[in-house]
Structures are given as C-alpha cells and as structure tokens.
C-alpha cells in the first residue's frame, strides 16, 4: 500500500479508495490495540507503570503484521539506510534542539496561560519515576525503556506508520498531509497525559508535531528522530537519577 498523497490524483479512484480503506483498518487495529491494552493496564495499580511499554510493543507487533500483509516493511516507513554519518548527526542535532525547544516552550506557555485549570487537571497517575533517584538498577531499566519504547517504538508508530496511513486516508482532501501530521501529534500528547498532566500533554504533542514535520523534511527517514528522541529521554532520566530534577 505504498500510495503517497502526491500520486493519488494520477491513480484510478477505486485504487485510491482501496488504499484508504486499508489505511483506516491499519489505524484502527494499531490504535485499538494500543488504547485498549493501555487503559486496561492503567486500571491495575501494580501494573500501571508498564501500561505504556506493553501497549506500545503490542501495537508495534500489530503494525508489523499489517506491514507484512501489505508487502511493506519498516524500511519503507523510515528505518532505511542512513544518509552520510555527517548528515545524520546534523539532522539528529537539529531534531534534538527543535523538539526540546518546542516541548519547553509549550509546557511553559500552557502552564502560565491555564494557571489554576492546569493545576486542577493533574495527572491521574504520579510517582512513575519515584524509585529512580540514586537507583542504578532502575536507571538502567528506564534507559532501556527510553530507547526501545521512546526512541524506536514511538517513532516507528507515531511518525512512520500513523503519518503514512493518515496521509493515505486523507489523500483525497485538501491539506491531507497537514492533517496526517497533526492527528498523530494530538494522539501522542493525549497518551502522555495520564502521568504528565495537561502541560505535559501539550508539550509532548508539540514535540510530536515538530517531529512529524521533520519526518517529512528528512525525506521520511526515522533515524534522526529515533536518535534525538532517545537522547532527549536519556538526558531527562539522568537529571532525575542524579537528583537535578524532581522525580514525578
């Protein structure tokens, strides 16, 4: 189902419609798996900290199955051969700076603008990293999660798969690519609300929006985003581990 929106106008209507139907099924199966599993696990007190990783890995398995079924692979969606190392490092640095700036700016603006509303809309779960400060074993565990789940799985799903599928789904309407970038960003922010609150949801949504734009700008190569995401998570976890940032 390798049909980009820029090409669909040249394709027969029934071909475009079939591609859109397949895209809708992919989106439904992946998001359904992710959301159902996540909110089921969030309801179990002893398992809620694993809700994100388990639901995302399960969604990744479903996505991989759907890709194989349509004759595609993750290479087609962005895990392709790296450009030159120099270009990769530059792109990674650009992504790290822009996404970090977007996250910090949005969280600050939302917290200031909403004031008491932001305080009242507190996260439903807290203490996810309570055991991290000074705990080396926990630090190693969360670093693994940061790279496997944050760096790879989230980028593969929210940028690689969902942007591509939403683009196909909205290929027959104006600004389809814009909508395809915005939709996963909104979902990404919403998925972080349960432990980061409304400020964190807007911040991560903003990061996802910038990442989506960069994904297209980087010619659909996921490596710079994967590396920058993993690095950003590593910095954040290190600050908590060393006590330079409060654990939440």
């Amino acid at each position: 189902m390798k049909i980009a929106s820029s090409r669909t106008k040249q394709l027969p209507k029934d071909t475009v419609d079939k591609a859109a139907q397949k895209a809708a099924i992919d989106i439904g199966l992946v998001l359904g798996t992710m959301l159902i599993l996540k909110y089921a696990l969030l309801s179990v007190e002893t398992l809620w900290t694993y809700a994100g990783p388990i639901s995302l890995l399960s969604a990744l398995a479903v996505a991989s199955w759907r890709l194989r079924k349509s004759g595609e692979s993750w290479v087609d969606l962005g895990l392709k051969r790296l450009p030159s190392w120099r270009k990769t490092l530059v792109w990674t640095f650009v992504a790290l700076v822009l996404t970090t700036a977007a996250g910090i700016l949005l969280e600050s603006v939302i917290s200031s603008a909403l004031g008491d509303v932001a305080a009242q809309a507190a996260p439903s779960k807290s203490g996810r990293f309570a055991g991290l400060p000074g705990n080396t074993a926990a630090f190693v565990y969360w670093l693994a999660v940061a790279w496997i789940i944050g760096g790879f799985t989230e980028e593969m799903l929210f940028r690689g798969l969902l942007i591509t599928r939403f683009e196909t789904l909205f290929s027959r309407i104006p600004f389809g690519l814009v909508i395809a970038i915005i939709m996963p960003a909104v979902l990404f922010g919403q998925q972080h609300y349960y432990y980061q609150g409304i400020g964190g949801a807007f911040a991560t949504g903003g990061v996802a929006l910038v990442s989506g734009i960069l994904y297209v700008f980087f010619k659909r190569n996921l490596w710079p985003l994967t590396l920058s995401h993993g690095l950003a998570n590593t910095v954040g976890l290190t600050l908590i581990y060393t006590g330079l940032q409060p654990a939440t």
Side-chain angles (χ1 to χ4, degrees), residues 22-240:
K22 289 181 180 179
I25 292 172
D26 288 351
I27 292 168
L29 288 173
V30 169
L31 290 182
T33 300
M34 186 190 306
L35 295 173
I36 291 171
L37 266 178
K38 183 170 186 176
Y39 286 103
L41 291 170
L42 282 175
S43 66
V44 182
E45 188 61 31
T46 56
L47 296 176
W48 78 265
T49 56
Y50 307 104
I54 291 173
S55 61
L56 284 165
L57 288 174
S58 300
L60 183 66
V62 172
S64 299
W65 163 62
R66 291 296 298 176
L67 285 174
R68 286 195 300 272
K69 190 175 177 63
S70 61
E72 293 177 280
S73 72
W74 288 107
V75 173
D76 299 307
L77 300 188
L79 288 183
K80 48 193 172 185
R81 184 177 180 179
L82 289 165
S84 68
W85 278 106
R86 180 177 297 178
K87 181 178 286 187
T88 300
L89 291 175
V90 171
W91 283 1
T92 299
F93 177 75
V94 169
L96 182 60
V97 170
L98 291 180
T99 54
T100 301
I104 293 173
L105 179 63
L106 268 174
E107 185 164 17
S108 175
V109 169
I110 293 301
S111 297
S112 298
L114 296 183
D116 292 338
V117 175
Q120 293 171 7
S124 58
K125 300 290 184 179
S126 61
R128 192 183 196 203
F129 302 113
L132 178 55
N135 187 331
T136 302
F139 181 56
V140 172
Y141 164 75
W142 281 112
L143 278 181
V145 172
W147 281 93
I148 295 171
I149 302 300
F152 282 90
T153 305
E154 288 185 339
E155 294 303 324
M156 291 164 71
L157 289 174
F158 285 94
R159 255 60 73 190
L161 184 92
L162 289 178
I163 286 179
T164 303
R165 286 333 190 228
F166 275 120
E167 184 181 11
T168 301
L169 183 63
F170 298 125
S171 62
R172 295 178 62 85
I173 65 175
F175 307 107
L177 178 57
V178 174
I179 298 172
I181 292 172
I182 293 173
M183 290 292 287
V186 173
L187 289 166
F188 192 75
Q190 185 276 332
Q191 287 294 289
H192 288 77
Y193 172 77
Y194 74 100
Y195 76 97
Q196 293 190 25
I198 192 167
F202 273 94
T204 52
V207 168
L209 183 62
V210 172
S211 296
I213 295 170
L214 290 175
Y215 173 62
V216 175
F217 179 78
F218 292 154
K219 301 178 181 179
R220 316 273 173 144
N221 195 310
L222 283 171
W223 284 109
L225 296 171
T226 293
L227 294 172
S228 65
H229 195 156
L231 287 170
N233 286 348
T234 299
V235 171
L237 290 171
T238 302
L239 291 174
I240 296 174

